Amino acid sequence: MKRWRTEGFTRRRGLAAALSLVVLAIAAGRPTGGSAQSASPASASLSRERLERVGDYIRNEIAAGTMPGAVILIQQHGRPVYFESFGVRDVESRRPMTPDTIFRLYSMSKPVTSVAAMMLVDDGMLSLEDPVAKYIPAFANVKVGVEKTDESGKPQLSLEPLSRPITIEDLLRHTSGLTYGFYGETAVRKIYDSSDIYAGDFDNATFVERLAKLPLADQPGTRWDYGHSTDVLGRVIEVISGQTLFQFEKQRLLDPLGMSETAFFVADAAQRPRIAEPMPHDRLTRPVAGIKDPTLPRRWESGGAGMVGTIRDYARFAQMLLNGGTLDGKRYLKPQTIALMASDHIGPETKIIHDPFYFPGETSGFGLGFAVRTAVPANTSWALDEYRWDGAAGTSFFVDPRDDMFAIFMVQAPSQGGRLQTALRTLIYEALERKD
């Protein structure tokens, strides 16, 4: 499997693997996003001249052979400031990259699922304090795998009972103890990797029942550990709504937002030429989070890593977040709910440990579905309180309420995501002209 790096991962040499954190975003159809309801719209503006450096950087990367092409949208004050397509979708077909190109979103599915869950919280049908076992009883008796050594010094895995139930908040902030098996070398991750939880063509109900038979990597609420938490959250949504995850998201979120091309696979074979592909030498050689290719039909609607979509669709979603939960006059979440999601829920006061694979990085905490910037990195002008996430194939986005902007970067370059993310974010903020 190709390895990709995140902002946090690059600070930890010697750690193999996992999901990239990139940052950028876009608007919709013709990318306009409705009126912004964030901080002072006149406080800062982006220089179009300086933003040309973003395009120069992307073109240079394409010329160097790190990616076939990309689409980027930077939107401020409800309007696109920089929206460009570069290169080709696929070096073999040579079809040009366009705004309607379909991308594998992988973990950029997580914010969508998290928002869907918080809509149920706003509806009064779900509480952050609810035990997951209330909706999925199999999680009532799940065990925690604790690595110990026996009398002879040999390692062994002890299965211990829960010290407290897994909660909905744990699923949203990745403190459930659920992990992934495709990176890391701990005993529990090895059990995940060698298990049959991905066997056959299964649905969400079957998947979570399989998952509950595996040990947790940690006691709930003790460690940030990136894994299948959002997949379980997707099943909770199904149980409460009586719909499949996609049916619920389509009815309550995707269709109302106009995200008509966001789904769990590409259903129409005639649309497959629109799918972007990585460079031949940079393709994922094994499934990510159990999914070999999100574009292919399957019953499993993975809320954590299963979606595909376009930049135009995701821009609608990002603008809704930036607006405090509304778009085009329709409210999706309360503004205080957006603020709650974009707040750090694993700060020092919680005593929650950061896993060695802590992908948000040293200057970020984690909210309810997003990484949240808690400190500005040295020698940067990045925004405090910006929130974001990305996907394993290289896609990424960030929302910056302070400067009333968001950015989305769509690319299929698994091994390049973190590096591209850092460089592009830096160029974007270098183009920002603040008014005192």
Side-chain angles (χ1 to χ4, degrees):
M1 183 185 83
K2 295 291 182 184
R3 307 261 166 98
W4 54 98
R5 294 178 180 272
T6 69
E7 186 180 322
F9 187 82
T10 56
R11 294 185 177 93
R12 295 173 173 86
R13 292 180 300 171
L15 292 178
L19 301 124
S20 74
L21 280 167
V22 193
V23 269
L24 307 108
I26 71 183
R30 177 182 69 131
T32 57
S35 60
Q37 299 175 357
S38 330
S40 89
S43 61
S45 61
L46 287 159
S47 164
R48 176 71 196 200
E49 181 179 359
R50 292 183 187 176
L51 284 175
E52 291 301 329
R53 296 172 59 198
V54 170
D56 292 341
Y57 176 83
I58 295 172
R59 279 185 285 267
N60 287 339
E61 290 293 322
I62 293 171
T66 62
M67 58 182 175
V71 189
I72 186 170
L73 171 68
I74 305 164
Q75 183 148 308
Q76 189 178 37
H77 311 325
R79 296 183 178 277
V81 179
Y82 191 86
F83 188 22
E84 300 289 345
S85 302
F86 302 88
V88 297
R89 295 173 179 165
D90 180 357
V91 293
E92 295 173 355
S93 71
R94 304 302 299 175
R95 293 186 181 95
M97 185 66 76
T98 56
D100 66 344
T101 297
I102 297 169
F103 293 85
R104 299 165 182 84
L105 299 179
Y106 283 109
S107 284
M108 271 174 57
S109 309
K110 288 180 172 70
V112 176
T113 306
S114 299
V115 164
M118 294 304 290
M119 293 175 79
L120 291 174
V121 172
D122 275 2
D123 290 345
M125 300 177 70
L126 180 66
S127 170
L128 296 180
E129 293 76 33
D130 283 346
V132 173
K134 176 180 178 180
Y135 307 101
I136 308 172
F139 279 100
N141 298 313
V142 69
K143 302 299 182 182
V144 180
V146 179
E147 295 186 48
K148 298 181 178 181
T149 55
D150 62 20
E151 295 179 356
S152 65
K154 293 181 180 179
Q156 63 178 14
L157 190 68
S158 172
L159 298 182
E160 300 184 357
L162 294 174
S163 59
R164 70 156 175 82
I166 304 169
T167 66
I168 299 302
E169 182 182 31
D170 287 324
L171 296 180
L172 284 156
R173 66 183 183 178
H174 295 287
T175 58
S176 66
L178 294 163
T179 190
Y180 280 141
F182 69 97
Y183 70 92
E185 298 296 329
T186 65
V188 171
R189 284 182 174 135
K190 289 178 180 179
I191 290 174
Y192 273 61
D193 191 39
S194 62
S195 73
D196 62 355
I197 56 174
Y198 309 122
D201 188 19
F202 53 90
D203 60 11
N204 287 7
T206 298
F207 180 69
V208 297
E209 292 293 326
R210 292 174 176 178
L211 198 60
K213 295 176 182 178
L214 302 182
L216 301 180
D218 296 280
Q219 288 286 352
T222 63
R223 181 187 295 269
W224 188 95
D225 192 340
Y226 200 53
H228 281 296
S229 290
T230 315
D231 290 316
V232 176
L233 187 66
R235 176 56 185 163
V236 170
I237 292 170
E238 292 185 337
V239 173
I240 295 173
S241 68
Q243 299 174 290
T244 68
L245 178 59
F246 185 56
Q247 287 171 345
F248 178 84
E249 291 181 338
K250 186 173 174 60
Q251 178 183 346
R252 293 288 305 275
L253 187 64
L254 302 179
D255 281 358
L257 278 174
M259 298 173 67
S260 61
E261 296 190 296
T262 301
F264 285 100
F265 58 86
V266 179
D268 184 355
Q271 300 304 315
R272 294 196 66 80
R274 292 171 53 197
I275 299 171
E277 300 291 348
M279 298 295 290
H281 64 268
D282 194 20
R283 296 183 180 176
L284 297 168
T285 57
R286 59 172 294 186
V288 172
I291 297 176
K292 184 176 181 180
D293 187 345
T295 68
L296 299 177
R298 66 195 177 285
R299 293 173 63 208
W300 183 28
E301 296 174 354
S302 168
M307 300 194 100
V308 297
T310 64
I311 193 166
R312 287 171 169 167
D313 274 16
Y314 217 88
R316 298 283 292 176
F317 178 71
Q319 186 68 58
M320 179 274 291
L321 295 174
L322 182 59
N323 287 354
T326 66
L327 189 70
D328 297 336
K330 179 176 175 59
R331 178 160 295 284
Y332 297 86
L333 286 174
K334 298 173 184 177
Q336 55 266 42
T337 301
I338 294 286
L340 182 69
M341 296 181 73
S343 301
D344 183 16
H345 287 251
I346 60 168
E349 71 283 357
T350 68
K351 298 182 180 179
I352 291 171
I353 300 167
H354 291 180
D355 188 75
F357 290 92
Y358 182 63
F359 303 124
E362 296 172 359
T363 61
S364 294
F366 204 85
L368 303 179
F370 314 97
V372 179
R373 182 75 58 196
T374 55
V376 178
N379 304 314
T380 76
S381 57
W382 298 355
L384 194 66
D385 297 327
E386 151 257 290
Y387 56 99
R388 65 195 187 277
W389 206 234
D390 69 5
T395 61
S396 63
F397 81 106
F398 72 83
V399 176
D400 174 1
R402 181 191 67 176
D403 298 306
D404 191 28
M405 72 174 181
F406 69 84
I408 301 169
F409 184 57
M410 291 294 204
V411 67
Q412 306 283 253
S415 68
Q416 305 299 314
R419 182 180 63 82
L420 295 172
Q421 164 192 309
T422 300
L424 288 168
R425 187 195 292 121
T426 297
L427 290 171
I428 290 169
Y429 279 98
E430 286 177 351
L432 193 65
E433 299 174 333
R434 301 192 185 281
K435 298 178 182 178
D436 297 329

